Amino acid sequence: MNLKDIHSVYFIGIGGIGMSALARYFKFVGKEVAGYDRTSTPITDSLKEKGISVHFEDNVDLISDIFKHPNTLVVYTPAVPSKHSEYQYYLNQGFDLKKRSEVLGIITKDSFCLAVAGTHGKTTTTCILAHLLKECEMPMTAFLGGISEDFDSNFVLDGTEYSVVEADEFDRSFLRLSPTVACITSMDADHLDIYGTKEELERSFHEFIEKIKPGGKLFVRKGLPLEGITFGIDDGADYCIENIEIEHGAYIFDLVTPSEVIKKVKFNKPGRHNLLNGLAAFAMAVQTGCPPHRLAEALATFKGVQRRFSYQIKEKDFVFIDDYAHHPTEISAVHQAIREMHAGQKVTVIFQPHLFSRTKDFADDFAASLSDFDEIILLDIYPAREEPIEGVTSQWLLDKIENPNKKLISKSTLLEEIKNCTTGVLVALGAGDIGMEVPKIKKQLSYAH
């Protein structure tokens, strides 16, 4: 498929974080762009502001005639059910329907592609990497899996020589990419509704490694059972962070590379997991020829990613944090970061489980990671693309949590619940629609404090 021959692009599921980045790209390069999504969100609002038409009813009659022309590219997300009427229309009319990942692979295949894979850390690492390359004025296109606070967007186009992409393992999407430099941050069991077993998930990561271009490089977190250039903290990795100190809520450390030691590097995002993300991005950026000392300086100016340890309120006696964590490993990483940066404070977590299948697969691990907080407020499971599984409920998960300071509430009573919050740190976690509640919580808490 030659993208130059495409006049218009229609997205089924345009409001997704990855889909919307592609929509922005095609609009930027002069194509007609429109799409469907199930609900209106800040992302779809921002697409409309760019002149992209979006509707929210699954109705073929709402698709403009320009997008029924044969030279329309139709992009869909795997989250859209096969019975979706717009999907079925394009299928029956003989259109060439392509998954988001396939289109992303086509766009980036001829560039120096830097791809970040892993069950955790992808989004933050790609956002840091895009920031570093921007600071070094590299001609780059970036497709990000979150809203970067440095760019206020999930898409950057400052040139086409380099591309930065999040290599998503969901639905084996990352096997469509052809990276020049790849990174694997983690390989914890996840998406078992797709893969069935952890072994099958790991097999797909090995397939992803095979996609690296000849002469390309692979970076892996030290300790993973993979051959590559390693990165880590105090573990003798090829790229290693040592002598960590905390000053005014920021990390100060030495960055050891294969050729030199850069002293007193600063990084402002809390959590050892975020330090690893920053280190991975640094190591990958070095491969583009950017001066290491310049990259180290740029680490200090990285602002962050929306819903990735985002401080919504940060006062002397009270902190409210919002994070996308939806896997036990991620929850534990957030907990570690809070205890390190806000030692001695009482910490209350609001958690909205994401997917019945993930809750079922990791129930005991969820219970263990949540039990570490001082107080747990649990919401009902966010189903996303799934139908309920008998016996898998938030009450079932709550019963497994070995901490007496726990309760299950409905989302509709959340604001009332936190109105009299006396905790030092409140953190909202989850990948569902809890993110839509965060502004309301912030408003309620700001009023209360």
Side-chain angles (χ1 to χ4, degrees):
M1 183 186 71
N2 191 336
L3 294 179
K4 292 179 181 177
D5 298 332
I6 299 297
H7 293 171
S8 53
V9 189
Y10 188 80
F11 289 85
I12 305 175
I14 196 169
I17 196 73
M19 293 281 276
S20 60
L22 274 183
R24 293 177 197 276
Y25 168 82
F26 282 114
K27 184 69 176 177
F28 192 94
V29 298
K31 310 295 184 186
E32 293 288 339
V33 181
Y36 155 87
D37 208 273
R38 191 171 57 176
T39 53
S40 174
T41 65
I43 288 179
T44 57
D45 290 344
S46 68
L47 292 177
K48 287 181 172 183
E49 289 171 6
K50 295 286 184 185
I52 296 172
S53 175
V54 184
H55 63 263
F56 305 99
E57 180 187 340
D58 177 14
N59 184 345
V60 174
D61 293 336
L62 296 177
I63 303 173
S64 172
D65 288 344
I66 194 173
F67 299 100
K68 295 177 181 177
H69 194 274
N71 62 1
T72 294
L73 167 65
V74 181
V75 188
Y76 72 99
T77 169
V80 169
S82 58
K83 63 185 179 183
H84 193 276
S85 63
E86 294 185 11
Y87 174 84
Q88 284 296 325
Y89 166 80
Y90 281 114
L91 200 63
N92 294 332
Q93 293 295 317
F95 280 78
D96 185 15
L97 281 80
K98 293 194 179 297
K99 288 184 179 179
R100 177 192 68 87
S101 55
E102 189 175 357
V103 178
L104 189 59
I106 293 168
I107 292 170
T108 60
K109 68 180 173 63
D110 294 327
S111 67
F112 186 108
C113 178
L114 301 111
V116 182
T119 44
H120 324 294
K122 293 186 295 293
T123 298
T124 301
T125 305
T126 49
C127 287
I128 299 171
L129 181 53
H131 169 70
L132 297 183
L133 296 185
K134 171 75 171 179
E135 291 296 292
C136 283
E137 299 180 344
M138 304 299 279
M140 158 201 70
T141 304
F143 298 90
L144 308 174
I147 304 298
S148 162
E149 293 177 358
D150 292 276
F151 301 107
D152 194 28
S153 181
N154 56 344
F155 171 67
V156 185
L157 206 165
D158 282 335
T160 57
E161 185 177 340
Y162 298 91
S163 60
V164 175
V165 298
E166 182 169 322
D168 190 1
E169 75 281 359
F170 173 74
D171 200 40
R172 296 176 172 84
S173 292
F174 59 177
L175 301 183
R176 301 285 192 174
L177 299 171
S178 306
T180 311
V181 175
C183 171
I184 297 177
T185 62
S186 49
M187 285 198 312
D188 291 318
D190 199 6
H191 302 301
L192 298 186
D193 55 324
I194 301 292
Y195 289 99
T197 64
K198 182 182 180 183
E199 291 71 26
E200 188 62 29
L201 170 71
E202 291 179 352
R203 192 171 296 120
S204 76
F205 276 96
H206 285 279
E207 287 183 54
F208 170 67
I209 293 169
E210 295 297 318
K211 300 292 181 181
I212 297 173
K213 292 172 183 173
K217 292 186 177 178
L218 172 67
F219 290 85
V220 299
R221 182 173 58 78
K222 186 160 186 181
L224 291 178
L226 299 169
E227 291 293 326
I229 304 166
T230 57
F231 62 93
I233 298 175
D234 290 328
D235 57 6
D238 298 315
Y239 285 82
C240 193
I241 286 174
E242 296 180 352
N243 303 320
I244 298 172
E245 298 175 359
I246 297 174
E247 294 182 7
H248 307 297
Y251 290 115
I252 308 293
F253 55 89
D254 295 340
L255 203 165
V256 181
T257 80
S259 60
E260 63 182 319
V261 178
I262 305 174
K263 297 277 191 180
K264 299 296 181 182
V265 179
K266 184 177 182 180
F267 189 67
N268 289 302
K269 295 305 293 180
R272 300 296 173 106
H273 63 300
N274 279 323
L275 266 183
L276 284 168
N277 295 336
L279 180 60
F282 170 90
M284 294 178 78
V286 168
Q287 307 309 307
T288 68
C290 290
H293 282 265
R294 179 72 194 93
L295 292 171
E297 290 172 4
L299 279 174
T301 58
F302 173 67
K303 293 179 183 176
V305 189
Q306 287 183 16
R307 301 219 62 227
R308 301 313 194 273
F309 211 96
S310 299
Y311 281 104
Q312 299 296 315
I313 299 174
K314 193 176 184 182
E315 298 174 353
K316 188 176 180 180
D317 61 343
F318 178 74
V319 167
F320 173 41
I321 299 163
D322 173 33
D323 196 278
Y324 191 71
H326 56 285
H327 184 281
T329 302
E330 296 165 347
I331 294 171
S332 294
V334 171
H335 178 264
Q336 177 274 324
I338 292 173
R339 296 297 187 193
E340 187 172 55
M341 292 298 177
H342 303 284
Q345 295 277 16
K346 178 184 175 184
V347 185
T348 298
V349 63
I350 305 165
F351 179 58
Q352 181 190 50
H354 184 258
L355 298 178
F356 294 102
S357 59
R358 184 181 281 122
T359 306
K360 174 177 173 285
D361 291 334
F362 305 111
D364 291 339
D365 295 328
F366 274 122
S369 60
L370 290 168
S371 294
D372 289 336
F373 292 88
D374 298 308
E375 187 175 37
I376 304 104
I377 298 172
L378 196 61
L379 302 180
D380 288 324
I381 298 170
Y382 183 78
R385 57 187 179 271
E386 293 185 337
E387 296 298 322
I389 298 173
E390 186 175 353
V392 179
T393 64
S394 284
Q395 182 61 55
W396 174 67
L397 175 59
L398 189 79
D399 291 342
K400 290 177 174 287
I401 295 173
E402 295 182 1
N403 184 328
N405 302 313
K406 60 182 181 179
K407 62 175 67 176
L408 172 63
I409 66 170
S410 68
K411 195 172 63 176
S412 62
T413 63
L414 179 58
L415 292 183
E416 190 64 33
E417 179 67 36
I418 56 113
K419 186 181 290 185
N420 300 312
C421 183
T422 58
T423 194
V425 179
L426 179 69
V427 56
L429 304 180
D433 61 0
I434 188 171
M436 304 291 284
E437 300 300 309
V438 167
K440 304 174 196 172
I441 297 171
K442 180 179 179 180
K443 185 177 180 181
Q444 175 70 64
L445 292 170
S446 297
Y447 176 78
H449 285 80

